[in-house]
Amino acid sequence: METKQFKAESKRLLDLMINSIYTHKEIFLRELISNASDAIDKLYYRSLSDGETGLSRSDFAIQLEVNKDARTLTIRDNGCGMTAQELEENLGTIAKSGSLQFKQEHEQKEDIDVIGQFGVGFYSAFMVASHVTVTTKAFGQEEGWRWESSGAEGYTIEPCQVASHGTEIVLTLKEDSEDEQYSKYLDPHQISALVKKYSDYIRYPIRMDMPATRLKEGCPEDKPEYESYTINETLNSMVPIWKKSSSEVTNEDLNQFYKDKFYDFQDPLKVIRSSTEGAATYNALLFIPARAPFNYYSKDYEKGLQLYASGVLIMDRCPDLLPDCFSFVKGLVDSQDLSLNISREMLQHDRQLKLIASRLEKKIKSELLGMLNNDREHYEQFFKNFGLQLKYGVYEDYGAKKELLQDLLLFHSSNGEQPCTLAEYVGRMKEDQKYIYYACGETLEKVKRLPQTELLLDKGYEILYLTDNVDEFAIKMMRAFQEKEFRSVNDSDLGLENEEEKEETKKQQEENKGLLDTLKEALDGKVKEVRLSSRLKSHPVCLSSDGPLSLDMERVLNSMPGAEEKVKADRVLELNPSHPVFAALQKRFESDPEQVKAYASLLYNQALLIEGMPIEDPVAFSNAICDLMAR
C-alpha cells in the first residue's frame, strides 16, 4: 500500500504543531470529542432539513473505549462519516477544516452550531499517540475507508468493510517516559475527569464502560464477597446550567454550581445571568464571591472567566473578558461567535471578544449599582472585600475607568458610622459649600483628631475620611464629582474666607514676617514656609503641604516595596495666630529672637506627631521639653 505525503505542510510543520501549539497535551480528547460532535451535528442537521435519514436526536451518541493491554483509546461516533475524498481532503491536508466549510455553507440557516475546526484539532492526537487509525463510512454509502498514520512520515488510505455510518478513531498511545505518563489516558476515571472538565456540555451523550463492583449473589451476609463488572455510563451532563431557563434552575442549583466549579465553600454574594443575541451572541453566568480569596491582593492572583465555544471549554481563565477593576468576578461565558485560531486555547483578539467584554463590564456595573441601591447591607459587605480594587481601578491607566467606577465608591465621613457614596455626600452639601472636603490618615481615629478638620466641622461641613493608601490618589485622579471639586483639609484655600478675611490674614502675615522667617530659618530646610493659618481654632500648630504631593501621598509612596529614593512633599508649618502660644512667640521674639529658634523645633515636632508622622530625633525632642519645663 502506497504511503501518501501530507499535501499542504512539511514534516517540520506537523512536528511543530504537535509539540508547540498546545500547552496541555490532555486537550487532545477535547478536540476529538468536538470533532465527533461536529460529525453528528452535520447528520442531525441533515435529518432536520430533509427528513430522509430516519434518525432522531436520541439516536446519536459518542462512545469512548480503553484497552490497557493494547494501549489503545478509541473515540467512536455515529455521525455523517467521510468518503475517501473527504478523508483525503480533511485528514491529508493540515489545516483543512471540513466543519468550517460546512458552517460557512450554512451560515445563514438556523439550528446549526458546529464547534470544531476539523483538521488541525484532529492532529492533536499525535501529542499522545504513536499511531492513529481512522475507520469511517459516510452516511448513505456502501463502502467504508481506513486512514492510518504514524505522524509526519505520511498516511495511507484503503477501502474496508464498516457495519454502519460514522467514524472510529483508535489511538495507540506512546510509551511512558520520565517527562510524560501517557498511560494515564488508559484510566477510565482519568478520561471521565477530562470529559467533565472540557466536554461536559457537548449536546450528545458521551458514554464509556466504567468499572464497578457489586455484592455476589448467594454469599453469606457475614462474609460478603464482591465481583467486578462494567456499566456503560454517560459521562457528560449535556445541558449547561447557563442555557437553562430561570424557571428550570433554583438559587440552590446556582449556588452549588458555583461552589463546585470555583472551589468555594461559601455561597456567592450575588449571581449575575446575562444572555444576548445580535452583534455578540453569548450566555454568561457570573458570580460575585462572598469573600476575597486569600491571595486576591497579591501578584499570584489570576483574573479571568472560563470561556466556552458552544459548550466546549476553550480557556479555563480568559483575562481579556474582565477589566482589572472587576477581577473579583468569577464565572463563565459561552459563545458560538468567537473566532478561534488553529488551537482552541488561544483566541484571536477580535471584535467579538472585545464586544462581549464591553457588555459584561456594563452588566457588572449595573448589577453592582442595583445591589448598592436596593441591598445596601450586602453591598457594604461586598465593598469591604473588593472596594479597594474599585479604588485602584479609578486611579489606574490615568483614570480611564473613573466614570465607570465613581458611583460605586464608598467612604467613611464625619456624617456618621455608615459609609456613604459620593452622590450621597453631594446631596447633603450645604448651599454655601463650594467643595467636597476630605482628610487623609492611617486610621479613622487619627483622621478625626486632625486639627485641620476643626473649622470645617464647626461650620457644619461634612468631611470624607480617607484611610486606604490608594484613596487620595483616586480622589486626585477624579478631580471632581458632579462638578464639585475635591479639596483636602490641608489645602491652602478651603473656600472659607471672604475677601476681607483674606486681607486680614495677609496683613498679619506681613506684620509677623520677621518671626515667621526666623522660625523657617531655624528649621533649616525642613519646611518650605512658615505661615499663619486661617483653618486652626483650638490647636496651636499643624503641618500642611504645597504642590501636588501631599503629606499622606508622601507616606504611602515611601512605604511601598522597592522605594529606594524617598519622595518628599513641600512641607508648610502653619501657626494659629489666635492661640496663646503664638502670642507667647511674639513676646519672646521681641525680647530674645535667638530663643525663638529653640521653639521652632518643638512646634515642628508637635505638628509631626499630630499628623501621625515620626519625629527625626525623639531624644532631642524630649530634652527640649525638659529644658523648657526647667525654665
Side-chain angles (χ1 to χ4, degrees):
M1 188 190 320
E2 179 186 359
T3 298
K4 299 183 179 182
Q5 299 299 312
F6 294 108
K7 296 177 182 178
E9 308 289 350
S10 65
K11 298 177 184 179
R12 181 175 176 274
L13 176 58
L14 180 58
D15 182 69
L16 181 65
M17 184 203 68
I18 292 171
N19 293 297
S20 302
I21 287 182
Y22 293 96
T23 307
H24 304 292
K25 288 182 169 61
E26 65 185 24
I27 57 87
F28 81 92
L29 187 62
R30 177 193 72 187
E31 298 296 314
L32 298 181
I33 288 175
S34 294
N35 288 341
S37 175
D38 290 347
I40 296 175
D41 272 338
K42 293 175 188 177
L43 188 55
Y44 178 56
Y45 175 73
R46 181 174 167 183
S47 71
L48 292 175
S49 59
D50 58 29
E52 295 179 0
T53 65
L55 298 169
S56 65
R57 183 163 182 168
S58 61
D59 294 319
F60 296 110
I62 300 168
Q63 185 70 35
L64 307 180
E65 183 181 306
V66 296
N67 187 324
K68 292 185 178 181
D69 294 333
R71 289 188 65 79
T72 59
L73 171 63
T74 301
I75 299 93
R76 187 182 299 115
D77 70 73
N78 58 345
C80 62
M82 288 179 280
T83 64
Q85 181 180 350
E86 288 169 335
L87 265 179
E88 185 79 46
E89 290 178 350
N90 293 340
L91 303 190
T93 306
I94 296 175
K96 172 70 175 181
S97 173
S99 293
L100 180 59
Q101 180 181 347
F102 178 83
K103 186 174 182 179
Q104 290 170 343
E105 291 171 354
H106 300 82
E107 59 186 1
Q108 302 301 322
K109 301 179 181 179
E110 297 180 356
D111 300 321
I112 186 66
D113 181 13
V114 177
I115 58 179
Q117 302 290 311
F118 198 78
V120 171
F122 165 78
Y123 283 94
S124 65
F126 288 100
M127 292 191 296
V128 299
S130 58
H131 189 83
V132 178
T133 301
V134 179
T135 305
T136 186
K137 180 180 177 181
F139 182 83
Q141 299 292 310
E142 294 294 328
E143 193 171 30
W145 296 90
R146 180 177 293 112
W147 181 99
E148 292 191 66
S149 175
S150 295
E153 296 303 319
Y155 61 94
T156 62
I157 296 179
E158 62 177 341
C160 66
Q161 292 298 314
V162 182
S164 182
H165 61 86
T167 299
E168 176 187 89
I169 300 174
V170 180
L171 311 181
T172 302
L173 298 184
K174 298 176 182 179
E175 295 296 327
D176 294 343
S177 65
E178 291 184 4
D179 299 327
E180 195 70 42
Q181 297 296 308
Y182 297 99
S183 294
K184 64 185 177 183
Y185 302 120
L186 296 172
D187 178 359
H189 296 291
Q190 177 74 17
I191 295 299
S192 176
L194 290 179
V195 170
K196 277 288 182 186
K197 180 177 181 180
Y198 291 109
S199 307
D200 195 37
Y201 307 116
I202 291 290
R203 70 187 76 190
Y204 308 104
I206 303 170
R207 299 180 179 136
M208 184 172 65
D209 287 341
M210 295 294 291
T213 58
R214 62 190 171 195
L215 189 67
K216 280 186 178 181
E217 292 184 9
C219 66
E221 292 184 4
D222 58 337
K223 294 182 179 180
E225 294 183 33
Y226 297 89
E227 61 182 358
S228 298
Y229 71 106
T230 59
I231 180 171
N232 195 244
E233 194 174 293
T234 298
L235 306 180
N236 59 322
S237 59
M238 288 180 278
V239 181
I241 192 171
W242 57 87
K243 286 192 175 181
K244 294 180 179 179
S245 65
S246 298
S247 60
E248 295 179 280
V249 183
T250 66
N251 290 335
E252 290 73 19
D253 292 334
L254 293 169
N255 291 343
Q256 192 60 49
F257 175 83
Y258 164 75
K259 288 185 285 189
D260 292 343
K261 199 77 170 176
F262 300 102
Y263 310 107
D264 200 344
F265 63 87
Q266 284 184 275
D267 290 342
L269 190 65
K270 188 168 186 61
V271 179
I272 302 172
R273 298 189 71 174
S274 179
S275 180
T276 66
E277 295 183 358
T281 300
Y282 66 89
N283 289 283
L285 182 56
L286 310 178
F287 303 92
I288 297 177
R291 60 184 178 86
F294 73 94
N295 66 339
Y296 182 66
Y297 290 105
S298 74
K299 293 181 180 179
D300 296 330
Y301 182 80
E302 295 181 64
K303 70 168 182 173
L305 301 177
Q306 288 187 337
L307 184 61
Y308 289 81
S310 301
V312 178
L313 181 65
I314 305 305
M315 294 182 71
D316 191 52
R317 192 176 284 107
C318 180
D320 300 310
L321 289 171
L322 286 176
D324 286 344
C325 57
F326 292 154
S327 60
F328 49 82
V329 176
K330 303 286 187 182
L332 55 90
V333 172
D334 187 3
S335 174
Q336 64 189 49
D337 292 341
L338 292 174
S339 300
L340 306 176
N341 68 2
I342 56 176
S343 164
R344 284 194 183 94
E345 290 182 300
M346 298 178 64
L347 286 169
Q348 296 174 354
H349 292 190
D350 59 8
R351 178 178 173 273
Q352 293 294 327
L353 187 67
K354 293 177 181 177
L355 187 56
I356 292 173
S358 175
R359 291 190 174 182
L360 289 179
E361 180 179 274
K362 293 175 182 176
K363 179 66 174 176
I364 294 168
K365 185 201 175 165
S366 173
E367 292 289 331
L368 288 175
L369 272 180
M371 196 195 315
L372 171 63
N373 295 326
N374 304 315
D375 189 1
R376 186 61 172 257
E377 181 181 352
H378 280 107
Y379 187 82
E380 289 184 15
Q381 180 185 341
F382 153 77
F383 201 82
K384 285 180 181 178
N385 283 299
F386 303 110
L388 196 60
Q389 188 67 18
L390 300 185
K391 294 175 181 178
Y392 281 124
V394 170
Y395 173 69
E396 286 176 333
D397 297 327
Y398 303 99
K401 299 289 185 184
K402 64 182 181 181
E403 299 293 333
L404 174 76
L405 301 173
Q406 60 186 8
D407 293 326
L408 300 173
L409 301 180
L410 290 179
F411 298 98
H412 285 283
S413 81
S414 57
N415 187 62
E417 295 299 319
Q418 186 182 33
C420 68
T421 66
L422 294 175
E424 289 167 345
Y425 179 102
V426 171
R428 295 194 291 257
M429 286 177 64
K430 291 183 172 294
E431 288 186 12
D432 62 339
Q433 186 175 339
K434 299 178 182 179
Y435 306 114
I436 300 174
Y437 296 110
Y438 69 88
C440 301
E442 293 181 86
T443 65
L444 284 174
E445 289 69 26
K446 288 183 178 180
V447 177
K448 291 175 182 178
R449 292 197 296 264
L450 287 175
Q452 298 92 319
T453 64
E454 195 171 25
L455 182 60
L456 288 167
L457 294 176
D458 281 353
K459 288 183 173 291
Y461 295 156
E462 186 176 352
I463 303 173
L464 296 177
Y465 293 156
L466 310 186
T467 56
D468 286 328
N469 285 345
V470 72
D471 280 348
E472 190 169 16
F473 293 91
I475 289 291
K476 285 185 175 291
M477 189 60 69
M478 285 190 286
R479 302 183 62 136
F481 179 81
Q482 293 184 5
E483 300 182 353
K484 296 291 185 180
E485 183 184 340
F486 291 102
R487 190 62 61 94
S488 169
V489 297
N490 284 324
D491 282 349
S492 57
D493 182 11
L494 295 178
L496 303 178
E497 293 181 296
N498 56 37
E499 289 303 317
E500 184 178 339
E501 290 170 328
K502 287 181 180 179
E503 285 299 320
E504 179 61 27
T505 301
K506 184 179 179 181
K507 180 181 177 182
Q508 283 185 307
Q509 186 83 14
E510 291 173 352
E511 290 175 350
N512 292 278
K513 186 176 185 304
L515 169 60
L516 299 176
D517 287 347
T518 299
L519 291 171
K520 176 185 174 182
E521 181 184 350
L523 290 173
D524 192 24
K526 293 177 181 178
V527 297
K528 178 183 177 182
E529 186 182 355
V530 177
R531 64 179 172 224
L532 300 182
S533 177
S534 60
R535 79 181 86 234
L536 296 173
K537 291 196 68 180
S538 63
H539 294 80
V541 67
C542 73
L543 206 59
S544 63
S545 62
D546 270 352
L549 188 66
S550 71
L551 294 174
D552 200 63
M553 293 170 75
E554 173 193 303
R555 175 184 64 80
V556 172
L557 292 173
N558 289 336
S559 66
M560 296 178 73
E564 297 178 1
E565 294 187 14
K566 302 297 183 182
V567 298
K568 191 171 182 179
D570 291 329
R571 300 180 180 185
V572 175
L573 184 65
E574 297 189 19
L575 302 177
N576 183 355
S578 302
H579 197 278
V581 165
F582 186 73
L585 281 173
Q586 287 177 311
K587 290 181 180 179
R588 182 67 66 182
F589 181 69
E590 291 174 1
S591 62
D592 188 359
E594 287 299 315
Q595 188 63 45
V596 167
K597 294 182 179 180
Y599 294 150
S601 179
L602 281 172
L603 291 168
Y604 177 70
N605 284 324
Q606 182 183 357
L608 285 174
L609 291 172
I610 292 172
E611 194 67 33
M613 302 175 72
I615 57 178
E616 296 176 4
D617 192 342
V619 174
F621 179 59
S622 177
N623 291 338
I625 293 176
C626 292
D627 182 57
L628 182 63
M629 293 174 67
R631 294 181 188 180

